[in-house]
C-alpha cells in the first residue's frame, strides 16, 4: 500500500490547486459518499471516515482499475498534508472548507 500511496501523492499533490480540490473533498461533511476524479487516481469516499483510492484509465472506452487501497480519513489527510508541506504548499485545515 505504501508504494501506491506514494505514487498517488506524487502524481496528484503536485500543485496547490490540485491539493486544495482533493483536501476540500475529503474535509467536506456535505458529501457523505462520492468520488473525486484526480488526474490519474480517483478518491472514493465510502462514508465520512473511510476512503478508497484507485487508479483509473480507459481502454476501448471502458474504464479499468489496476491498483487500489483503503485508508481512513485521518491517515489520508495526514499523508496528503505531510507531502504537501514538503512541497511548500499552504496547508488547509477542516475550518478552511
Amino acid at each position: 500500500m505504501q508504494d501506491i500511496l506514494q505514487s498517488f501523492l506524487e502524481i496528484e499533490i503536485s500543485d496547490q490547486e490540485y491539493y486544495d480540490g482533493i483536501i476540500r473533498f475529503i474535509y467536506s461533511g456535505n458529501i457523505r459518499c462520492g468520488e473525486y476524479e484526480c488526474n490519474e487516481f480517483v478518491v472514493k469516499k465510502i462514508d465520512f471516515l473511510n476512503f478508497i483510492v484507485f487508479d483509473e484509465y480507459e481502454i476501448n472506452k471502458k474504464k479499468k482499475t489496476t491498483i487500489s487501497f483503503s485508508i481512513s480519513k485521518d491517515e489520508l489527510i495526514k499523508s496528503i498534508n505531510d507531502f504537501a508541506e514538503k512541497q511548500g504548499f499552504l496547508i488547509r485545515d477542516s475550518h478552511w472548507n
Side-chain angles (χ1 to χ4, degrees):
M1 178 188 114
Q2 200 59 31
D3 290 342
I4 302 167
L5 176 59
Q6 187 62 34
S7 182
F8 164 74
L9 295 171
E10 290 172 1
I11 292 169
E12 306 301 349
I13 312 300
S14 59
D15 182 90
Q16 181 74 47
E17 185 178 346
Y18 297 158
Y19 163 80
D20 287 348
I22 293 168
I23 207 74
R24 180 178 283 125
F25 171 75
I26 294 168
Y27 280 139
S28 177
N30 295 325
I31 303 170
R32 287 190 312 172
C33 63
E35 294 180 352
Y36 186 87
E37 293 187 23
C38 305
N39 294 312
E40 185 175 322
F41 287 82
V42 175
V43 178
K44 183 173 183 75
K45 187 183 279 191
I46 303 302
D47 55 36
F48 190 65
L49 299 174
N50 298 289
F51 293 80
I52 296 174
V53 178
F54 57 93
D55 75 333
E56 185 175 76
Y57 58 94
E58 194 173 298
I59 295 179
N60 298 327
K61 299 187 180 187
K62 293 182 181 178
K63 292 186 178 186
K64 302 285 183 179
T65 300
T66 56
I67 57 174
S68 67
F69 63 93
S70 60
I71 190 167
S72 72
K73 178 180 180 177
D74 291 341
E75 288 179 87
L76 185 56
I77 289 171
K78 181 177 179 357
S79 296
I80 289 172
N81 282 342
D82 288 351
F83 188 84
E85 187 173 28
K86 290 176 187 171
Q87 304 304 311
F89 298 161
L90 178 61
I91 303 303
R92 309 297 189 176
D93 63 19
S94 60
H95 302 294
W96 169 74
N97 194 22

